[in-house]
Amino acid sequence: MDALIEKVYRLTAEQFRQRYGLSADRQGWPPEPASCDVWKGTFGVSETLLREGVQPHSVVLGGPCLVFTRGQARNVTVKDCIDLIAPIRAAKCLNLPCVLLIEIEQLSILAGDGKSPLDDEHWSVMLGVLHHFVRYYALSIGFPLERLHFTCTSEPEVEAVVDDLADRYGALIGTEDICGLYAPDGSSSFPREHPLYERYVTAFKRSLMLYLPAFSEHVTGLADPSVISAENVNQARAVAVAGKLAGRLSMKAPAMIAHPECPNIAGARMDHGEEKDKLYVSEPLPALLGKLGLCDDLLVSYLSHWHTERELAAQTDVYARASGFLTTVNGMFARAYKQHTYQDVKEVWL
């Protein structure tokens, strides 16, 4: 995992930990070692979590950034799937509820047209597919569906909660915290000097509200829950900024369990670079496994960490674990797409 951080982010693991308050895995963490076979993607946990442990009424929160999919289910990458299943795995290991976030209303904010992405048929189909996918995955590792909260922040009721939080607390977040919010290696000050700067500021501030206890309280019904973010390292600075805001408001600051972002075949970020270097989970399985054969040891090793014992109980080879993981998520995604399509047909015709 350290090599992955250095290659993808040009930042050593130790520098990363120091900058964002994350610690290397420690023996016995997370608790309940017997259940930890379903959580192998951990890179580090926040010092807050190590120091205070899991607080009563905690929830695990996380989800993927889907902007690069352009609302098309066929553009969902393996990286997106990993960002979806990471919170479920962490919640399973810690025996906590899981809030899965699908945050796409920033698209309407940036467009400035006031239209909901949910009015777009493509986005609606993709959300339906992802909903079925995460349910199948949760069942495969024995995570109770009643503890899984699949939440799209563009849904009117949820969006109203985020609007209210942003109206109350957004002004307390400075521009120095917004610029470069999702660049943990310090390589970017985006959206500074961008023509849509003000709209990005609005979208980013709204995103930070999701880490406050009040949001998870609305989703889960738990009173003043402690939030544990289980996301890739791109979210580390956002969690830290949200923690600073929570401190000013005398609220519980979010903790974090971080995993390295899945790179593409070329070793760059999955969402960037050439199309041929990306791993699309909807690709025919032979094509997907063929791409795996072109990957260097870094990516194969990375993917192997996401298999579960149920996926490959008898296999110990790194490549076999990686191919087993891809086979599993590819099959679940295909099944989810078929199930969603069937549900649409059933609602119309039956």
Side-chain angles (χ1 to χ4, degrees):
M1 293 297 101
D2 289 6
L4 180 65
I5 290 292
E6 292 178 30
K7 184 170 183 178
V8 179
Y9 297 102
R10 304 180 305 282
L11 187 68
T12 67
E14 187 57 35
Q15 289 172 322
F16 178 82
R17 294 181 184 117
Q18 290 176 355
R19 187 175 300 181
Y20 298 107
L22 297 174
S23 293
D25 293 347
R26 298 187 183 182
Q27 188 174 4
W29 179 266
E32 305 298 334
S35 67
C36 288
D37 61 318
V38 298
W39 178 246
K40 296 182 178 178
T42 307
F43 167 70
V45 297
S46 65
E47 290 292 349
T48 301
L49 198 54
L50 284 169
R51 183 174 59 251
E52 300 177 3
V54 177
Q55 300 298 304
H57 303 297
S58 294
V59 299
V60 174
L61 175 146
C65 174
L66 297 171
V67 172
F68 293 100
T69 66
R70 301 184 295 280
Q72 299 283 348
R74 67 174 180 268
N75 292 334
V76 174
T77 66
V78 171
K79 173 258 181 189
D80 297 325
C81 288
I82 289 174
D83 288 348
L84 273 170
I85 68 178
I88 304 175
R89 290 183 131 167
K92 162 72 174 178
C93 186
L94 300 175
N95 193 27
L96 295 173
C98 177
V99 177
L100 274 182
L101 291 173
I102 305 296
E103 186 190 3
I104 57 176
E105 78 276 4
Q106 60 178 293
L107 297 170
S108 60
I109 295 174
L110 297 178
D113 56 11
K115 296 180 180 179
S116 171
L118 295 182
D119 294 332
D120 186 306
E121 180 184 0
H122 296 302
W123 280 106
S124 180
V125 168
M126 187 173 72
L127 289 175
V129 173
L130 294 181
H131 188 200
H132 286 298
F133 172 80
V134 298
R135 287 169 61 87
Y136 294 148
Y137 190 84
L139 289 172
S140 77
I141 64 171
F143 186 74
L145 293 183
E146 62 270 18
R147 308 194 82 187
L148 180 64
H149 304 271
F150 185 86
T151 307
C152 178
T153 55
S154 290
E155 296 171 2
E157 182 182 351
V158 180
E159 189 174 17
V161 174
V162 182
D163 282 339
D164 179 60
L165 292 173
D167 288 343
R168 281 192 279 167
Y169 307 129
L172 299 177
I173 303 171
T175 54
E176 71 280 2
D177 288 324
I178 292 296
C179 294
L181 189 64
Y182 300 110
D185 63 356
S187 64
S188 171
S189 62
F190 184 86
R192 184 173 285 132
E193 299 180 0
H194 192 281
L196 298 180
Y197 170 78
E198 294 297 336
R199 294 182 187 178
Y200 272 108
V201 168
T202 298
F204 286 6
K205 285 185 177 182
R206 287 172 56 83
S207 296
L208 291 170
M209 299 300 117
L210 305 178
Y211 295 108
L212 297 181
F215 177 79
S216 290
E217 179 174 325
H218 170 78
V219 174
T220 65
L222 292 173
D224 193 29
S226 296
V227 176
I228 301 172
S229 166
E231 299 173 292
N232 71 55
V233 291
N234 284 337
Q235 308 298 321
R237 185 158 177 258
V239 175
V241 172
K244 184 166 66 173
L245 173 63
R248 294 184 63 180
L249 298 171
S250 298
M251 296 179 180
K252 298 175 182 176
M256 187 173 195
I257 300 175
H259 63 271
E261 182 181 3
C262 180
N264 62 24
I265 293 176
R269 292 179 62 179
M270 181 71 78
D271 293 329
H272 298 268
E274 299 184 39
E275 296 298 306
K276 65 180 179 62
D277 293 331
K278 299 178 183 180
L279 298 175
Y280 293 106
V281 73
S282 61
E283 293 184 81
L285 184 59
L288 194 59
L289 295 181
K291 284 187 175 181
L292 182 65
L294 301 175
C295 297
D296 60 20
D297 293 342
L298 174 70
L299 181 53
V300 174
S301 175
Y302 176 88
L303 293 174
S304 74
H305 280 76
W306 290 95
H307 88 289
T308 69
E309 298 303 327
R310 295 190 182 191
E311 290 163 10
L312 272 175
Q315 297 282 0
T316 57
D317 177 72
V318 173
Y319 184 86
R321 292 199 302 268
S323 61
F325 171 70
L326 290 182
T327 300
T328 297
V329 295
N330 176 268
M332 287 182 179
F333 194 86
R335 181 184 170 198
Y337 191 89
K338 291 178 182 178
Q339 177 69 15
H340 176 74
T341 304
Y342 172 75
Q343 289 289 356
D344 287 346
V345 172
K346 186 170 68 173
E347 288 175 6
V348 173
W349 298 107
L350 302 183

